Structure formats: C-alpha cells, structure tokens
Amino acid sequence: TARTCYDFFAENLLIEWGAKERRHGASQVGSVWTASDLTAFTVLVLGYAKTEGVGVVESLKLLWGTPVAFWVIVGPAIMTAGGVWRRITGPERGINGDDGSGAKFEEDFLVERLGGAEPVRKLRASVSVSRLTKFPEGMNLEMLHSWDFNIWAYSEAELLQVASALLDITGLIDQFGIKLQPLSSLLQAVCAGYRPNPYHNFQHAVSVLHVSYLLHRAGPPNVEGNDQPPVVLSKLELLALFLAALGHDIDHPGVTNAFLCNSYAPLALCYNDESVLENHHAATTWTLLNDSRNDVLGGLAVEERKQVRNLIIKSILATDMAHHSHMVKHLTELAADHKPIEVMDVLTTVLHLADLSNPVQEWSLSRRWAQLVCQEFRNQTSREEELGLRLARAETADQVGATIKAG
C-alpha cells in the first residue's frame, strides 16, 4: 500500500513539475518554484527512503538515474540560480532604467501552488517587519512632504517602507491596531499584484498614495463666501483612501478599457464592458484584503469594515476616465452653488487628482511619467495591429511623444 501511494504521489509531482518546465523552460523553472514544491520533493525523498527501507542518503543514490532525479538533485540549484538571475535581470530593472523608455518589460509569470489552487503572482519585494515603518536610508519626512518626491530613486522593497511610513505617520496603524506582519504581507502581495508595465506599475501606485497623503495634509481649502463647514476625513475614511490608492490599478494589463472591450477580453465579458479595469482593480484589492494573511482590517467592527469596503470600491470605480467630465461638472456645480460636499465626493476627487498628478511634478519627473505612458500606449498599438483592431491611441501617443522629446 505504501509503495502504491508513493508511486501515485511521485507520478503526480512529475506531471506538475514537467508542466512547469514546458511552460517556463528548463532555465526558468527554478524561478517559479514555490515553498510547496520544496516541501513536496522533500516528502518524495523521505517517502522513497521509507518504502525502500533505506536511509535518506541511500534514497538519493537510488533515485539518481530515475526521472525524478533532476528535480530532487538539480532542482534546488536551479531554484537558487533562478532567483538570483531574476533579481539581477527582473522587470524592475527595466522600470528603473535611466532612459525612462520602459524598454524590455518582462511579463511576471503566474505560478501554481501544488494541489490545484488558483494561480498566484510570485512575491518579488520584501522588507523585514522591524524595518517596515522606518524610512529607507537617506530619506526623511521633509522629502515626503515635497511634491517633487522622486519615486524612481527607490527600489520596490524601499517603496514598501514608504507606503508603511505614510500609514504610520498619519496615525492609522495605531488607531486601528494594525499588526505589522499582516501589513507587510498585504504590501508585498499588492506589489506582486502589479505587472511590470511601463506606467501602470507599483511605482505609480505608491506615487498616487503619496499624493493622496499630500492632498490630505493640505487640508480643506478656504473658499471665500462659502459658509459650508469643510469636510474633514475621519481616520476610517483616510484608511479607505490610502488602501484604495494602493490598489487602484492592481493587476493592470497595460491596455485600456476600450482595448479589452473591442477584443472581447474575458475581463470585459465578466464586467459587461462597464468600467472593466476599475471593477477588476477593486475586486482584486478586496480579494487581498479578505485574505487572513493580510488582515489589516481585523481591528474594525463589522459595520466599519462594510463602510471601508464601500468607500474603497466607489473610490476606485471613480478613477475610470470615462467619468472625468461628469466629475468636473459636478464639482463645478458644488463650488458655484456652495452646496454641502459629501465625504464620497472628497475621496473620489482626491484619488482622481492623485491619479492624474504627474504633470504638476518637476519637469524631469513629469517628463519621465509622460514617456512611460506613451510607451504603454505604443505597446497597446502593436497589439491592436496584431489583432486587427482600430488603432485608438497610436496618433495621440506619437504626437505627445514628439512634444515631450522636443521639450
């Protein structure tokens, strides 16, 4: 019976690992191994030793020459080498390139956990819990208070610290008793959830979080002749704003809603062509927040959690540029008629402003962001040509790119 169980287990592992080799290539297999894989082949060796009645060392010798030998003996070496190789040549190298062109953006493969669970994106940045809320080396609070804060000067791991620091200095971690371990887990998962796009990447997410902080810090404006009391966000509303900022573009595929709808992409079919990306970003954000390992909302009461969920979803959905003109008209009417401003208006406006804030940064930063968004549009144009779709962005991207280059 033991031998039969062992053979069945070994056979299924070989199928799983063979599929990985075919999908990613032998040279890349090590970089997509998971902790489950390591545990599995350890159990495999021990199981072989048990069924054959030999020691572990002898088991390794007996396995040599069998189909599983490559995975048991060579697997760990490939995994180590693959991890080092990805750190040297990974997607963030292209994102942080000096030329700002966003050249060679490598797709971050999905890896499958043993047992058939849903694919998960491999974590690619981490920082120790003890360092999580501390500023990266060479950074201080005054730098965070500047509109010209250079996101590109920091690694993804350091940007995890920046995000945590913003939650800390606003008192949100203390206010809601957020434990650092689940916070660390959440931020790493959010970082991993962003694809290595030229523009819609983790750097953009932290930039939007930072500008949301700056707008909140500035406080409500004093409008002459307006006798309505200013709207001051509660800590709970601020927490919702910051979490929405972090997740507002998560898992962005680097193409527009129009592209997804015109190509009948699965996401467009799922959301019936309505704010396709924004619905996906909101759903993905809440999928992570609902994971027990990322439970930063564990200290909230049931009704508070529902309120935060509602605020996050509505804030992210409002970032759809299809709503821009209506939002401007609505805000203009509120200002002209001195009407009371609702909290939801504040949250959606702040997040939308932060999302579009690149042009108000100093020229070198603004120019870099503009180049990257043009590169993303050009990438989409290439895909539209391949699929025979209408080239919605090509002319605009080329015109803007030429203007930026001339400047």
Side-chain angles (χ1 to χ4, degrees):
T1 303
R3 179 72 197 190
T4 301
C5 291
Y6 169 81
D7 288 341
F8 177 80
F9 179 65
E11 180 182 359
N12 279 274
L13 282 180
L14 286 171
I15 293 172
E16 165 91 1
W17 292 335
K20 286 190 175 183
E21 181 179 4
R22 289 190 299 274
R23 188 162 60 246
H24 303 291
S27 62
Q28 296 293 323
V29 166
S31 64
V32 295
W33 268 43
T34 66
S36 296
D37 292 316
L38 289 172
T39 302
F41 81 70
T42 300
V43 171
L44 189 67
V45 175
L46 295 176
Y48 196 93
K50 180 69 175 176
T51 56
E52 295 297 325
V54 297
V56 173
V57 174
E58 189 64 21
S59 173
L60 286 171
K61 292 180 180 178
L62 290 171
L63 280 169
W64 189 260
T66 68
V68 82
F70 173 81
W71 297 108
V72 177
I73 309 299
V74 185
I78 289 184
M79 186 184 66
T80 302
V84 172
W85 179 252
R86 281 177 63 82
R87 283 192 289 274
I88 294 173
T89 64
E92 50 268 53
R93 302 298 297 177
I95 291 172
N96 295 323
D98 292 336
D99 63 355
S101 66
K104 196 173 182 351
F105 285 91
E106 179 183 327
E107 183 69 23
D108 189 21
F109 288 111
L110 295 178
V111 294
E112 296 176 354
R113 292 194 186 280
L114 192 64
E118 289 187 5
V120 293
R121 200 171 293 279
K122 191 167 182 177
L123 300 183
R124 63 174 186 257
S126 63
V127 63
S128 66
V129 171
S130 62
R131 295 286 306 165
L132 189 60
T133 57
K134 301 185 185 305
F135 294 140
E137 186 176 352
M139 201 188 93
N140 54 48
L141 185 59
E142 184 178 352
M143 294 170 68
L144 270 184
H145 288 169
S146 170
W147 280 84
D148 297 328
F149 177 65
N150 185 7
I151 287 287
W152 301 103
Y154 301 94
S155 67
E156 287 187 334
E158 289 172 324
L159 291 181
L160 299 180
Q161 292 178 272
V162 171
S164 301
L166 290 172
L167 290 169
D168 189 37
I169 61 181
T170 49
L172 296 177
I173 291 178
D174 289 339
Q175 176 73 28
F176 299 107
I178 298 174
K179 293 181 173 57
L180 296 186
Q181 186 57 58
L183 176 60
S184 175
S185 178
L186 173 66
L187 292 176
Q188 289 180 64
V190 169
C191 177
Y194 276 87
R195 304 189 193 189
N197 299 312
Y199 183 87
H200 292 100
N201 47 45
F202 186 59
Q203 284 80 359
H204 171 64
V206 178
S207 177
V208 171
L209 170 63
H210 172 243
V211 175
S212 297
Y213 164 74
L214 291 179
L215 291 171
H216 165 71
R217 182 172 178 268
N222 295 317
V223 181
E224 186 176 349
N226 187 357
D227 56 358
Q228 296 293 337
V231 177
V232 179
L233 296 181
S234 69
K235 291 290 187 183
L236 189 69
E237 292 157 351
L238 184 60
L239 177 64
L241 172 63
F242 280 12
L243 292 176
L246 280 170
H248 82 282
D249 271 330
I250 193 167
D251 200 36
H252 197 295
V255 294
T256 61
N257 279 332
F259 177 93
L260 295 173
C261 295
N262 292 338
S263 62
Y264 296 96
L267 276 181
L269 300 180
C270 178
Y271 294 112
N272 300 312
D273 293 354
E274 293 292 332
S275 297
V276 177
L277 287 170
E278 292 71 26
N279 271 296
H280 179 57
H281 302 325
T284 304
T285 298
W286 264 99
T287 297
L288 293 181
L289 286 170
N290 208 40
D291 190 319
S292 60
R293 294 167 295 184
N294 312 325
D295 193 14
V296 298
L297 303 179
L300 302 185
V302 173
E303 288 305 313
E304 288 178 323
R305 190 181 182 94
K306 287 183 179 178
Q307 182 182 353
V308 168
R309 173 170 166 77
N310 180 59
L311 295 176
I312 288 175
I313 292 173
K314 288 186 176 180
S315 296
I316 293 178
L317 291 180
T319 62
D320 185 350
M321 284 300 295
H323 304 318
H324 177 77
S325 296
H326 172 75
M327 183 181 292
V328 172
K329 180 181 178 182
H330 176 62
L331 292 174
T332 301
E333 292 173 350
L334 289 178
D337 299 336
H338 303 307
K339 293 180 179 179
I341 298 177
E342 303 294 332
V343 166
M344 202 66 249
D345 289 326
V346 175
L347 292 179
T348 55
T349 302
V350 168
L351 186 58
H352 189 51
L353 286 171
D355 197 18
L356 303 178
S357 64
N358 306 147
V360 304
Q361 294 183 314
E362 62 97 8
W363 173 240
S364 67
L365 296 176
S366 179
R367 180 174 182 269
R368 182 169 189 168
W369 283 113
Q371 287 177 321
L372 293 174
V373 76
C374 285
Q375 179 62 47
E376 196 163 296
F377 285 152
R378 290 191 190 94
N379 293 347
Q380 173 173 317
T381 298
S382 297
R383 297 173 70 177
E384 287 170 333
E385 289 177 335
E386 292 173 1
L387 296 172
L389 300 176
R390 179 173 175 269
L391 306 183
R393 296 284 181 174
E395 184 179 352
T396 302
D398 286 339
Q399 288 177 348
V400 174
T403 303
I404 294 168
K405 187 175 182 180

